[in-house]
Each structure stands twice: as C-alpha cells, then as structure tokens.
C-alpha cells in the first residue's frame, strides 16, 4: 500500500493541508478522514497543496469534490494548489476543474481563499422600503 502523509498549517482565515503520496481507492479514506478531523469549523476556508501528491484516482477526486460541496454548503471554500501536470490533466478530463478552484501555487490559492467572504458571513443588502401594491404592479396611485 502506498504511503500517504499530511501536514496542516493553520493561517489566520485559512488552513493549508499538504498531501504527499498517492491518493487512490485504498488511501482516499485516509484523506477524507484527515480533512474532516483537521477542519476547525464546517465552513472554514481550506487550501489543499497537491505539490507532493503524485497520483490521484477517482476516489481521491471524489473526496475533493465532496469536501468542496461541504465547504460551500457551510459558507467556506476549498482551493487546490500546485497540482502536478498529471493531476491537472485528470481534473481537466473529468471537468472537475470547472467546479474546483485550482491554482498554480499555494500562495495564489491562499490569497484566493482569503479574498473569499468569511465563513458564516452573509452578504448585507440594504433594507428595501415598503411599497404599496400599486407601486409593485408598476402603476401610480390616484
């Protein structure tokens, strides 16, 4: 069984998880468990550094897509960084790159994550003034 290792670096506003090794059907569960256990908040912004991940099969890709969906559902983001050309090609072939945020470097991924709204914050819209039914219908009252 191929070795798979992880290291987490906590930065203000984002956690960076570095993955080293091969993520296949036998190790994808390890990646999933590590991500779930290292998450500080459900909607935390995360960057996954793939610079040392030399292979990722469909099971690993599924973990990344599920992590992305979970983060979005809770107001966070997932950004991937520094994928080897083979991994980038797999994401392109499967169209996963259209869903996942993929960046050339960890620094770019961290900056993108930090420019996202803070987890749990909602967009603030100015309150609208109450309008009469005639105004909503586009007519003016007599």
């Amino acid at each position: 069984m191929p070795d798979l290792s992880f290291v987490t670096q906590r930065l203000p506003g984002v956690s960076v998880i570095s993955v080293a090794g091969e993520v296949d059907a036998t190790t994808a569960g390890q990646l999933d468990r590590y991500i779930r256990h290292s998450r500080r908040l459900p909607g935390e912004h995360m960057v996954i550094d793939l610079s040392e991940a030399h292979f990722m099969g469909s099971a690993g890709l599924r973990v990344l897509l599920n992590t992305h969906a979970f983060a979005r559902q809770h107001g966070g983001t997932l950004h991937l960084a520094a994928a080897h050309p083979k991994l980038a090609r797999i994401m392109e072939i499967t169209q996963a790159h259209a869903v996942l945020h993929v960046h050339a470097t960890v620094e770019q991924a961290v900056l993108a994550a930090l420019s996202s709204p803070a987890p749990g914050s909602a967009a603030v819209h100015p309150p609208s003034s109450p309008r009469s039914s005639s105004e909503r219908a586009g007519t003016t009252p007599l």
Side-chain angles (χ1 to χ4, degrees), residues 11-88:
L11 303 172
V14 65
S15 288
V16 179
I17 297 174
S18 299
V19 179
E22 297 185 3
V23 185
D24 58 19
T26 62
T27 60
Q30 288 177 281
L31 174 61
D32 186 46
R33 282 186 298 280
Y34 188 85
I35 291 170
R36 283 188 285 122
H37 289 108
S38 65
R39 194 180 280 132
R40 291 181 283 198
L41 298 168
E44 143 177 69
H45 297 311
M46 299 180 85
V47 169
I48 300 190
D49 174 4
L50 298 171
S51 61
E52 296 298 319
H54 303 291
F55 174 81
M56 181 163 303
S58 60
L61 192 54
R62 184 178 65 245
V63 169
L64 296 179
L65 289 167
N66 288 341
T67 300
H68 167 76
F70 183 86
R72 280 194 56 168
Q73 190 175 37
H74 291 90
T77 58
L78 173 68
H79 294 264
L80 306 179
H84 280 278
K86 287 181 184 179
L87 295 177

Side-chain angles (χ1 to χ4, degrees), residues 102-126:
V102 182
H103 306 274
T105 67
V106 172
E107 292 79 16
Q108 289 172 349
V110 167
L111 289 173
L114 292 174
S115 69
S116 301
S121 69
V124 178
H125 300 286

